[in-house]
Amino acid sequence: MNAPTSAIESVLVENRVFPPSEAIQKAARVSGMAGYEALCAEAEKDYEGYWARLARENVVWSKPFTQVLDESNAPFYRWFADGELNASANCLDKHMGTATEHKTAIIFEADDGQVTKVSYRELLERVAQFANGLKAQGVKKGDRVLIYMPMTIEGVVAMQACARIGATHSVVFGGFSAKAVQERIVDVGASAVITANFQMRGGKELPLKAIVDDALQMGGCEGVKHVFVYERTASAYSKVAGRDMSFAELLAGQSTECLPVAVEAEHPLFILYTSGSTGKPKGVQHSTGGYMLWAKQTVEWTFDMQPSDVFWCTADIGWITGHTYVAYGPLAAGATQIVFEGVPTFPHAGRFWEMIERHGCTVFYTAPTAIRSLIKASETDEKVHPKNWNLSSLRILGSVGEPINPEAWMWYYRNVGAERCPIVDTFWQTENGGHMITPLPGATPLVPGSCTLPLPGIMAAIVDETGNDMPNGAGGMLVVKRPWPSMIRNIWGDPERFKKSYFPEELGGKTYLAGDGAVRSEDRGYFRITGRIDDVLNVSGHRMGTMEIESALVSKTDLVAEAAVVGRPDDLTGEAICAFVVLKRPLPSDPEEAKALANELRNWVAKEIGPIAKPKDIRFGENLPKTRSGKIMRRLLRSIAKGEAITQDTSTLENPAILEQLGKTH
Ligand code: 6R9
């Protein structure tokens, strides 16, 4: 076999295996493959019985459920439907009177390095007080509250406080634009917004409240009656009388006791927007009962969480990973966790390693993009290499958000984990609620670049277009054949799109389609994710729809006639966004002019969606390559974006000169 020439090829020939050490295996919650297989067998034998057991063990129910799975209106599955609970009580109240009450819940490290700690008792009091503040302003069960906050204790408190009173939160990542905030406010029908005056990132003070103000002025946001503002910095911000209120005003005089509101298991705990194949982001609606069950259980299984652990998930609360593995799961499991406000490269690219040492972090969970950028930084500057810090507290490492290439995996394993810490490469999606396919640290032999095996009870499979199972070694579409408790319940306000996107008729209408391609290894049956099979890109672990970026580009009507967006592989960000643009004016002949136009378009996209959606490459042409029926030849564009030789049939092109034009990046 030829030597591997790319990350993809080296995955194909990957044959290194790292079994769990005796010590880890012995002490783990799920011990050895025998432990894993016993759980799988239990789920296989009595599916509902298995989930009912986990639901009773992991969740405190204020009213116990008697029904487990209701498939009568599939694919609108219902779990534990007659049970009642409160998510915040499951994260906080249940620890009162136990050894966890005075344990540190959150170690917060601010951008500037300042550290604040809160115990479970203190966190409960803050959440209760905040919940009372919301109630006093008329926010109630069933209302939707949009949260646009920095990574702070206050961000977690805001989410928990909504959950406490049964209000459904919709968190928007602080990097999204005013337009994106407005669209989400309108779609979700928010009656209140919780934000901060500014956020601190990399030593810079960036506005949040001003962006909310812009969003609210764009129209359709009349339903928003309140904006609650966390004064993160001392800087002034503009306040609209009668609508805006600082946290200090909201909390003044409020009691630190607040009874949690019991909600039905299916009550929507949150709605989180994510990109799909069409232009409009999807409001992924999650339940309370099934979601909480899996948030806690996966923290305990995948990270083998023990009472002495110090967990750190670096994801922002604006993403699903920050929901399940910052705001809910670790608290439900009674863990101590680190919450970090800043960025991994400020004030230097050794910040993560420094913080692991400072706080004695034992379980560290981050994204391949971060690892790759820190590898690069440590190659040019020895001083930020992890070897400069004492990382001996670490016992488990995790990866999430995109495929981790074996090279990055090996670097992480050697330089961060000292060849001692298992790496759990966790595959899952916003729609899944929690981990789906992942190694268990005390059970699964690891193979770099593979997310290995589905968690017990997750009936993942690989099928062809008509739903036939593919043999190991043959690639296909990743599906889940049975509903599971933490799965998406609906696309907010769009049940038809929910059915079409996730439960296509071609697969019988009841099988969950993940939207990713995958292949199982011939020897172990391990899963390896090969990437999205739809028009969704994964840039630095962030999901971006190509159509979303295309609509943003063509909405610049004075400049853009037509646009097509594709992804191309990128060493650092996994995928990079490449936009092909037809201008409403002659092709720029001067390279400087082309560059200026490209930058204008990048800034436009940043304004429309957010900086994460800025195309890396912009290419101008007099036309786009199309088939006779007028369809854009996306495969051809993908080849051009990669800089590959064109092997496709281009005889139908009306104007072959455009291939050369589109070959130039600006
Ligand atoms: C949790 C999260 C989901 C998409 C998913 C897939 C990719 C996530 C992965 C992975 C390979 C992993 N993805 N984890 N691919 N290996 N361990 O990231 O959710 O933002 O919805 O993205 O990310 O393509 O479909 P989300």
Side-chain angles (χ1 to χ4, degrees), residues 8-67:
I8 301 291
E9 277 180 52
S10 71
V11 168
L12 292 175
V13 299
E14 184 57 65
N15 51 18
R16 289 167 286 202
V17 181
F18 300 85
S21 71
E22 272 303 310
I24 289 185
Q25 185 167 329
K26 238 165 85 195
R29 284 177 185 267
V30 181
S31 177
M33 284 308 275
Y36 167 75
E37 279 155 12
L39 287 163
C40 292
E42 184 190 344
E44 197 74 55
K45 195 164 147 249
D46 175 9
Y47 195 68
E48 290 193 27
Y50 166 79
W51 286 115
R53 175 176 74 78
L54 296 189
R56 289 192 187 101
E57 287 174 8
N58 286 288
V59 177
V60 179
W61 297 92
S62 32
K63 176 171 170 251
F65 59 89
T66 62
Q67 306 156 7

Side-chain angles (χ1 to χ4, degrees), residues 81-110:
D82 63 343
E84 288 181 8
L85 75 159
N86 179 277
S88 155
N90 268 276
C91 293
L92 302 169
D93 305 57
K94 79 162 185 215
H95 300 303
M96 298 307 114
T98 75
T100 311
E101 175 169 352
H102 300 292
K103 181 180 172 175
T104 300
I106 296 178
I107 303 171
F108 174 68
E109 183 162 320

Side-chain angles (χ1 to χ4, degrees), residues 53-387:
R53 175 176 74 78
L54 296 189
R56 289 192 187 101
E57 287 174 8
N58 286 288
V59 177
V60 179
W61 297 92
S62 32
K63 176 171 170 251
F65 59 89
T66 62
Q67 306 156 7
V68 183
L69 169 62
D70 174 1
E71 301 186 78
S72 60
N73 190 24
F76 299 92
Y77 299 104
R78 289 155 60 84
W79 284 91
F80 321 116
D82 63 343
E84 288 181 8
L85 75 159
N86 179 277
S88 155
N90 268 276
C91 293
L92 302 169
D93 305 57
K94 79 162 185 215
H95 300 303
M96 298 307 114
T98 75
T100 311
E101 175 169 352
H102 300 292
K103 181 180 172 175
T104 300
I106 296 178
I107 303 171
F108 174 68
E109 183 162 320
D111 190 58
D112 66 3
Q114 202 179 329
V115 174
T116 318
K117 295 184 184 179
V118 288
S119 70
Y120 272 89
R121 157 64 59 189
E122 289 160 345
L123 190 61
L124 169 61
E125 288 176 359
R126 286 175 65 167
V127 168
Q129 192 179 32
F130 202 100
N132 282 330
L134 291 177
K135 271 203 301 201
Q137 296 306 315
V139 182
K140 57 183 187 313
K141 182 181 170 197
D143 288 355
R144 273 86 57 209
V145 176
L146 190 116
I147 298 181
Y148 188 59
M149 286 283 281
M151 273 300 279
T152 46
I153 297 175
E154 286 72 12
V156 176
V157 168
M159 293 166 79
Q160 286 279 341
C162 288
R164 195 163 188 86
I165 60 173
T168 300
H169 60 66
S170 186
V171 185
V172 178
F173 174 59
F176 276 113
S177 67
K179 177 87 183 305
V181 172
Q182 178 251 3
E183 281 168 3
R184 286 156 178 74
I185 286 175
V186 172
D187 192 79
V188 88
S191 63
V193 175
I194 305 176
T195 188
N197 61 342
F198 290 90
Q199 59 178 334
M200 294 303 303
R201 285 176 75 82
K204 287 195 213 97
E205 188 180 39
L206 306 169
L208 285 178
K209 170 64 166 56
I211 294 174
V212 170
D213 288 342
D214 287 350
L216 292 177
Q217 271 168 18
M218 284 178 183
C221 301
E222 295 71 28
V224 174
K225 300 288 175 250
H226 306 280
V227 179
F228 306 117
V229 187
Y230 167 46
E231 294 178 348
R232 170 64 188 88
T233 71
S235 303
Y237 61 97
S238 74
K239 256 173 140 179
V240 174
R243 186 195 75 184
D244 301 352
M245 187 182 261
S246 71
F247 274 21
E249 291 166 303
L250 178 72
L251 301 177
Q254 294 299 340
S255 151
T256 54
E257 274 176 44
C258 170
L259 276 181
V261 173
V263 300
E264 316 77 67
E266 286 295 322
H267 180 72
L269 177 60
F270 64 87
I271 295 157
L272 182 60
Y273 285 83
T274 191
S275 296
S277 337
T278 68
K280 198 169 169 257
K282 308 188 263 202
V284 173
Q285 179 184 325
H286 275 287
S287 72
T288 303
Y291 174 81
M292 285 308 298
L293 145 61
W294 206 225
K296 172 167 176 289
Q297 185 67 87
T298 51
V299 163
E300 292 183 348
W301 279 352
T302 310
F303 301 120
D304 186 41
M305 200 65 67
Q306 305 286 346
S308 56
D309 275 316
V310 177
F311 177 63
W312 183 13
C313 166
T314 66
D316 193 280
I317 49 168
W319 309 114
I320 189 68
T321 307
H323 279 58
T324 311
Y325 300 106
V326 178
Y328 291 105
L331 298 175
T336 293
Q337 69 170 324
I338 299 167
V339 170
F340 176 43
E341 177 180 39
V343 297
T345 48
F346 176 82
H348 57 77
R351 180 80 182 258
F352 276 1
W353 324 130
E354 184 181 283
M355 283 181 60
I356 289 171
E357 178 183 304
R358 174 154 52 241
H359 303 299
C361 172
T362 61
V363 182
F364 180 64
Y365 189 35
T366 196
T369 286
I371 297 165
R372 286 193 297 264
S373 76
L374 299 179
I375 295 175
K376 200 168 154 205
S378 67
E379 277 167 359
T380 49
D381 181 3
E382 279 257 307
K383 289 199 297 297
V384 298
H385 191 280
K387 70 183 175 201

Side-chain angles (χ1 to χ4, degrees), residues 274 320-321 399-404 425-431 451 514 516 529 532 538 541 543:
T274 191
I320 189 68
T321 307
S399 172
V400 60
E402 53 183 317
I404 178 163
D425 174 3
T426 61
F427 168 84
W428 62 296
Q429 312 170 292
T430 303
E431 294 87 344
C451 52
D516 280 288
I529 307 300
R532 301 286 307 190
N538 193 324
R543 264 168 78 168

